[in-house]
């Protein structure tokens, strides 16, 4: 039960969702939400040319249905759930979307596509959408934090092979969509229905497959669908979260911390603490990129290096360091995004974006002989100091042993993009433009940026998609052909 013993956890979240008004949101939360909308739409634009993006557009266009909402790269409008699916798939496809710590969730990629689709379908304003997104992000993070184990310092979801991003994302997005115009009962029922749709496993992080790209799209689709089903009469159990056969029992074997949901609910917000991603790769690799870039700035080049030891938190080792023979030989840019050795190569050789960008994670570069020679020199090991800091940060300690017999150590203990080392407005805009320029003109990028920055003043979120529904994936065909191809080809 929640802090109020008379209501369940879902009812507590529903009360929070309905009672929170736009004017209750701190200014920093409003600004953060607008920045996240810009960030997600830029990522969607960049991802629009991927094979998987073309596949999901082809699938939804074959389904038919009522024209309600916009999807990136789709000229006509789609049913709201289908539009949410497309945009959610694109938002997570490049592993460039934001991360909450220590829950290790990527909340925006599910919540924002779901809310924008539902808001467009219902005619909700930009202010309504901001409020709903803020609610959804908060609910998503709090459900994720309820599954964070303080003793193991890791997500229990993750330990069970579950993708908390999509599982909790479906719940947060459902609360957000229901909160656009629903009652407490509507939100509670939406959570109860969405819980039977929440899903996702993360084995593809280790050994390949593109299914993970679908996860946030399916979470967004499930959220919109759950709310639509509630509107026509379906209901969910009020004890859906803590019940004997509820969400936490099913996913976490009953091991959860209810205070992760209820403590400070409505008074304390998590949103400003969600880390923006400066690099288009698994977040566990980011500190390795920064450490390797520091070596480069110190004048060290690959020819100087005899060996590199990348020290990381123990819980991240499986994702970016094992199996080491796979991590040293990524076959595609997508696999390189989950490789610690590749992060060292990318940071040491330098690139675009904010240090490295999308053009640094191509299939060609993943198989480049020089990069592979460097990756062969990299061992990924658990580092006790990094493990002690994790998961409040994803730190790395890089020890480079040089051919002249000397050793250089670079420590990155605080990630870029979070409260301890935030990205500036100019840096976020630079990231957006580096992404969106692949399919959008300068004028179109200017227009979208202005709309996001003044979103609270817009009467319809459809304006966000004015220059996104007609993006031509052929404009970035070379990019798509070179990067992130299907791993089962």
């Amino acid at each position: 039960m929640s802090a109020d013993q008379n209501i369940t956890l879902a009812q507590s979240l529903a009360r929070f969702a309905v009672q929170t008004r736009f004017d209750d949101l701190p200014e920093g939360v409003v600004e953060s939400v607008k920045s996240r909308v810009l960030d997600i739409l830029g990522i969607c634009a960049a991802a629009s040319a991927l094979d998987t993006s073309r596949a999901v557009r082809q699938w939804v266009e074959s389904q038919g249905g009522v024209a309600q909402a916009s999807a990136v790269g789709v000229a006509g409008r789609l049913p709201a759930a289908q539009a949410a699916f497309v945009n959610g798939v694109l938002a997570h496809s490049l592993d460039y979307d934001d991360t909450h710590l220590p829950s290790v969730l990527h909340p925006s990629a599910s919540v924002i596509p779901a809310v924008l689709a539902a808001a467009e379908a219902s005619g909700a304003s930009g202010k309504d959408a901001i409020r709903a997104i803020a609610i959804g992000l908060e609910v998503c993070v709090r459900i994720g934090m309820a599954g964070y184990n303080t003793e193991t310092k890791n997500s229990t979801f993750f330990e069970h092979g579950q993708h908390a991003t999509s599982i909790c994302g479906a719940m947060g997005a459902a609360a957000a969509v229901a909160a656009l115009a629903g009652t407490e009962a509507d939100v509670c029922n939406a959570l109860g229905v969405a819980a039977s749709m929440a899903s996702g496993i993360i084995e593809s992080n280790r050994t390949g497959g593109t299914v993970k790209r679908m996860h946030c799209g399916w979470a967004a689709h499930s959220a919109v669908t759950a709310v639509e089903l509630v509107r026509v009469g379906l209901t969910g159990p009020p004890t859906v979260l803590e019940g004997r056969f509820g969400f936490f029992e099913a996913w976490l074997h009953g091991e959860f911390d209810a205070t992760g949901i209820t403590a400070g609910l409505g008074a304390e917000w998590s949103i400003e603490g969600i880390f923006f991603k400066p690099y288009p790769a698994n977040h566990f690799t980011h500190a390795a990129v920064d450490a390797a870039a520091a070596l480069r700035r110190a004048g060290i080049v690959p020819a100087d290096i005899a060996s590199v030891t990348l020290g990381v938190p123990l819980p991240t080792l499986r994702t970016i360091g094992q199996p080491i023979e796979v991590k040293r030989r990524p076959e595609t840019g997508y696999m390189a995004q989950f490789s610690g050795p590749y992060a060292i190569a990318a940071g040491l050789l330098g690139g675009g974006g904010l240090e490295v960008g999308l053009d640094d994670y191509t299939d060609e570069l993943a198989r480049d002989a020089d990069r592979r020679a460097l990756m062969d020199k990299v061992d990924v090991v658990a580092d006790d100091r990094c493990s002690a800091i994790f998961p409040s940060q994803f730190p790395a300690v890089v020890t480079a042993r040089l051919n002249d017999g000397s050793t250089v150590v670079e420590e990155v203990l605080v990630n870029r993009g979070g409260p301890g080392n935030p990205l500036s407005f100019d840096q976020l805009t630079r990231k957006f433009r580096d992404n969106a320029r692949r399919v959008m003109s300068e004028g179109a990028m200017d227009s979208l940026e202005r709309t996001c920055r003044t979103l609270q003043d817009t009467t319809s979120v459809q304006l966000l998609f004015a220059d996104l529904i007609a993006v031509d994936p052929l404009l970035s065909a070379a990019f798509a052909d070179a990067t992130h191809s299907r791993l089962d080809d």
Side-chain angles (χ1 to χ4, degrees):
M1 298 294 285
S2 67
D4 183 343
Q5 294 297 311
N6 295 317
I7 63 174
T8 68
L9 292 175
Q11 289 168 340
S12 293
L13 291 173
R15 179 171 297 180
F16 155 72
V18 171
Q19 291 184 354
T20 299
R21 314 280 15 120
F22 178 85
D23 291 340
D24 297 326
L25 302 177
E27 182 180 354
V29 168
V30 172
E31 293 303 311
S32 184
V33 167
K34 293 189 294 182
S35 293
R36 293 179 199 283
V37 172
L38 179 68
D39 189 45
I40 288 294
L41 292 179
I43 295 166
C44 287
S48 64
L50 300 178
D51 288 348
T52 45
S53 301
R54 289 193 288 267
V56 297
R57 285 196 299 269
Q58 180 181 353
W59 180 73
V60 298
E61 289 173 339
S62 73
Q63 301 301 298
V66 179
Q68 295 176 314
S70 304
V72 175
V74 179
R77 299 171 83 198
L78 301 168
Q82 303 286 50
F85 175 66
V86 172
N87 293 333
V89 171
L90 270 59
H92 195 55
S93 285
L94 297 175
D95 283 282
Y96 218 171
D97 45 315
D98 57 21
T99 307
H100 176 263
L101 304 180
S103 67
V104 198
L105 293 171
H106 307 288
S108 292
S110 298
V111 172
I112 289 175
V115 170
L116 294 184
E120 183 177 351
S122 65
S125 68
K127 186 178 289 189
D128 295 331
I130 291 171
R131 168 185 166 268
I133 290 168
I135 290 167
L137 294 176
E138 191 68 25
V139 171
C140 176
V141 165
R142 284 175 174 271
I143 292 177
M145 284 302 299
Y148 172 66
N149 188 315
T150 56
E151 293 183 4
T152 63
K153 301 180 70 174
N154 201 8
S155 168
T156 305
F157 291 101
F158 191 89
E159 285 296 323
H160 293 168
Q162 300 157 359
H163 195 192
T165 288
S166 56
I167 296 167
C168 301
M171 301 295 282
V177 172
L180 278 170
T183 65
E184 287 186 25
D186 292 333
V187 177
C188 188
N189 281 316
L191 288 168
V193 174
S196 288
M197 303 176 177
S199 62
I201 60 173
I202 52 174
E203 178 63 13
S204 61
N205 278 9
R206 297 183 67 252
T207 56
T210 54
V211 64
K212 179 174 171 289
R213 292 179 177 175
M214 183 193 77
H215 287 179
C216 289
W218 199 249
H221 181 282
S222 297
V224 175
T225 301
V227 174
E228 291 176 347
L229 290 170
V230 167
R231 288 175 183 156
V232 296
L234 264 72
T235 58
T239 54
V240 63
L241 290 173
E242 71 271 40
R244 173 63 182 84
F245 301 110
F247 180 93
F248 289 126
E249 180 65 33
W251 289 111
L252 305 180
H253 303 172
E255 298 178 14
F256 70 99
D257 178 12
T259 62
I261 292 178
T262 59
L265 183 63
E268 300 171 6
W269 291 85
S270 306
I271 294 167
E272 292 180 83
I274 300 172
F275 288 55
F276 285 98
K277 271 192 173 184
Y279 312 131
N282 180 272
H283 221 142
F284 294 164
T285 69
H286 284 207
V289 171
D290 285 328
L295 293 176
R296 171 173 49 82
R297 287 192 292 271
I300 296 172
V301 298
D304 298 331
I305 294 176
S307 66
V308 175
T309 300
L310 168 58
V312 299
L314 176 61
T316 73
L317 187 60
R318 291 171 299 178
T319 301
I320 68 172
Q322 295 176 347
I324 189 62
E325 60 272 13
V326 173
K327 299 305 178 180
R328 287 175 176 159
R329 286 290 183 274
E331 290 295 329
T332 65
Y334 188 68
M335 291 178 72
Q337 291 174 312
F338 297 87
S339 166
Y342 188 87
I344 295 295
L348 192 63
L349 294 170
L354 297 178
E355 194 68 72
V356 295
L358 290 173
D359 294 332
D360 301 297
Y361 288 85
T362 68
D363 294 350
E364 181 181 15
L365 288 179
R367 296 189 291 264
D368 176 70
D370 291 337
R371 294 193 178 214
R372 287 193 165 185
L374 182 55
M375 285 188 276
D376 282 339
K377 300 178 183 181
V378 179
D379 288 311
V380 186
V381 302
D383 180 274
D384 289 342
R385 193 146 67 107
C386 291
S387 296
I389 296 170
F390 179 88
S392 297
Q393 303 285 338
F394 298 152
V397 176
V398 171
T399 303
R401 295 168 184 83
L402 307 185
N403 290 322
D404 64 7
S406 63
T407 298
V408 180
V409 178
E410 289 291 346
E411 299 179 346
V412 178
L413 305 182
V414 177
N415 289 93
R416 291 182 78 190
N421 188 9
L423 296 180
S424 68
F425 173 84
D426 289 342
Q427 288 171 320
L428 284 171
T429 300
R430 181 178 167 188
K431 175 187 172 182
F432 162 73
R433 289 179 173 271
D434 185 56
N435 287 332
R437 65 178 172 79
R438 303 166 194 281
V439 290
M440 298 179 71
S441 67
E442 286 290 329
M445 289 190 291
D446 290 343
S447 177
L448 180 53
E449 186 181 324
R450 285 194 300 270
T451 302
C452 286
R453 296 307 171 193
T454 59
L455 186 57
Q456 72 273 21
D457 300 322
T458 60
T459 57
S460 172
V461 300
Q462 188 176 6
L463 293 173
L464 292 167
F465 293 92
D467 297 299
L468 285 170
I469 58 174
V471 296
D472 183 1
L474 295 178
L475 292 176
S476 57
F479 163 71
D481 289 342
T483 62
H484 313 295
S485 65
R486 293 174 60 93
L487 300 185
D488 54 357
D489 282 350

